[in-house]
Amino acid sequence: MKFDNVMAEINGFGRFQKRMFILMVIPRMTLPLHFLLNNFIAAIPPHHCNISSLDDGGLFRNLSLEDRLVVSVPVQQDGTPNSCQMFAEPQYHLLFNFSNLTDLPTVPCQNGWMFDTTTFKSTLATEWDLVCDKKTVNKATATIFFIGVMIGAAVFGYLSDRFGRKKMLLLSYMITSVFGFASAFSYNFPMFAAMRFFTGLGISGISIISIVLSIEWVDIRHRTRVGVLISLDWSVNTALLPVLAYFVRDWRYLTATVTTPLLVAMISWRQNGLGYCSFMARIGVSLAPLI
């Protein structure tokens, strides 16, 4: 008998399949959360040059913050302070005359940047000053992550066929958890980029193995339904991520938060294994009269 015929014979969408489906939802929560995480942790808040070094103890100190910006940072066409340039020296005459700004000498930011933390308490940009000339480095984080996803799809596709889906699913849980939390504790950008690469590699295994397991272990009649239902986690958890980001505004805590469901998934992996043994015993009992 073909395996599909066996599944149809013993009710291919019974308690085991439903429990496995529910347990697979837990690790799959992390998929859209990690895939879209870069939209929040790599956000670039409004910023301008750090002008604290211009405080010479004289007139500059007595100015309000607004006036300090006027004499220290040129304005852009929209009236906001320039993000990457500052005046070479304080231009006190601008407090009284804004008519001539084009001939004033400017230099790149000399002492870092000051960021608006109203929306984001901390991001990659504020952590490592990934703005202006380094803005492309900030954007590269998403590319690095998805390169890991691409390679992981090939690696775990082969390994799950070679060594079994259950073992490789646990391995993908472990890889994503270890490197996901390591990303949150990175102390420089190269380390963070490497951790995100391996996080993408591991999470690719979760993506392909979980959906294959969910579909393989149901009968043909229910496969379309299961495939559609398990894909809905993308819609639900994509809507959940902005809510999490609203309350968790530090990039380190947000990265750790979206990785946390995998700790529960590793516990549920064992429960799924026990259910598998019970289900296989049931198959044996059901087919015994046919042998």
Side-chain angles (χ1 to χ4, degrees):
M1 293 181 74
K2 293 183 178 180
F3 184 74
D4 292 334
N5 301 125
V6 175
M7 297 299 292
E9 184 73 23
I10 62 172
N11 180 16
F13 195 58
R15 187 172 65 178
F16 165 72
Q17 285 83 358
K18 292 175 182 176
R19 181 171 67 172
M20 181 178 65
F21 175 82
I22 294 173
L23 293 178
M24 287 298 173
V25 170
I26 299 173
R28 287 183 62 84
M29 286 180 60
T30 63
L31 298 182
L33 299 183
H34 269 288
F35 272 60
L36 302 176
L37 180 64
N38 210 67
N39 292 327
F40 297 95
I41 65 173
I44 301 178
H47 56 282
H48 58 77
C49 295
N50 184 354
I51 57 176
S52 60
S53 62
L54 298 179
D55 190 353
D56 56 6
L59 177 61
F60 192 85
R61 173 181 294 181
N62 297 325
L63 297 178
S64 65
L65 177 59
E66 182 179 352
D67 288 340
R68 291 182 187 182
L69 287 175
V70 170
V71 303
S72 305
V73 180
V75 295
Q76 303 176 113
Q77 292 183 351
D78 60 0
T80 60
N82 192 292
S83 301
C84 303
Q85 296 287 322
M86 61 186 294
F87 293 126
E89 296 179 355
Q91 306 294 320
Y92 294 110
H93 68 278
L94 293 179
L95 294 173
F96 311 101
N97 181 16
F98 288 91
S99 59
N100 185 12
L101 297 176
T102 57
D103 297 332
L104 298 178
T106 61
V107 295
C109 296
Q110 301 296 299
N111 297 285
W113 288 260
M114 300 181 68
F115 295 90
D116 182 356
T117 58
T118 303
T119 303
F120 298 99
K121 182 179 178 181
S122 175
T123 68
L124 301 179
T126 64
E127 183 83 13
W128 294 305
D129 288 341
L130 302 181
V131 293
C132 298
D133 293 341
K134 295 182 179 180
K135 185 180 293 187
T136 54
V137 176
N138 189 39
K139 293 179 179 179
T141 54
T143 302
I144 293 169
F145 173 80
F146 283 107
I147 289 175
V149 171
M150 179 181 66
I151 296 175
V155 170
F156 279 99
Y158 169 76
L159 293 179
S160 62
D161 287 338
R162 178 69 175 81
F163 299 104
R165 312 216 191 283
K166 184 170 175 285
K167 292 179 180 179
M168 291 303 104
L169 183 61
L170 178 60
L171 179 62
S172 63
Y173 288 169
M174 295 173 64
I175 291 175
T176 309
S177 298
V178 170
F179 290 104
F181 284 113
S183 300
F185 291 99
S186 299
Y187 55 84
N188 57 37
F189 181 77
M191 177 182 176
F192 173 80
M195 297 303 100
R196 284 298 286 170
F197 170 84
F198 287 107
T199 301
L201 188 144
I203 209 167
S204 186
I206 297 174
S207 177
I208 62 176
I209 297 175
S210 61
I211 196 166
V212 168
L213 275 176
S214 300
I215 294 176
E216 279 183 342
W217 284 96
V218 299
D219 58 10
I220 295 177
R221 186 164 62 93
H222 292 93
R223 284 179 181 174
T224 301
R225 183 186 309 174
V226 169
V228 172
L229 287 175
I230 201 168
S231 298
L232 290 177
D233 58 357
W234 280 89
S235 300
V236 175
N237 293 300
T238 296
L240 175 63
L241 181 58
V243 178
L244 290 175
Y246 179 81
F247 291 102
V248 185
R249 303 192 181 193
D250 184 291
W251 74 268
R252 294 183 184 274
Y253 291 123
L254 183 59
T255 303
T257 299
V258 301
T259 308
T260 301
L262 291 176
L263 300 179
V264 181
M266 283 189 281
I267 298 174
S268 69
W269 176 87
R270 177 173 175 78
Q271 296 299 319
N272 208 16
L274 295 175
Y276 168 80
C277 294
S278 175
F279 181 70
M280 293 304 294
R282 180 184 166 199
I283 291 179
V285 171
S286 299
L287 296 182
L290 303 177
I291 299 176

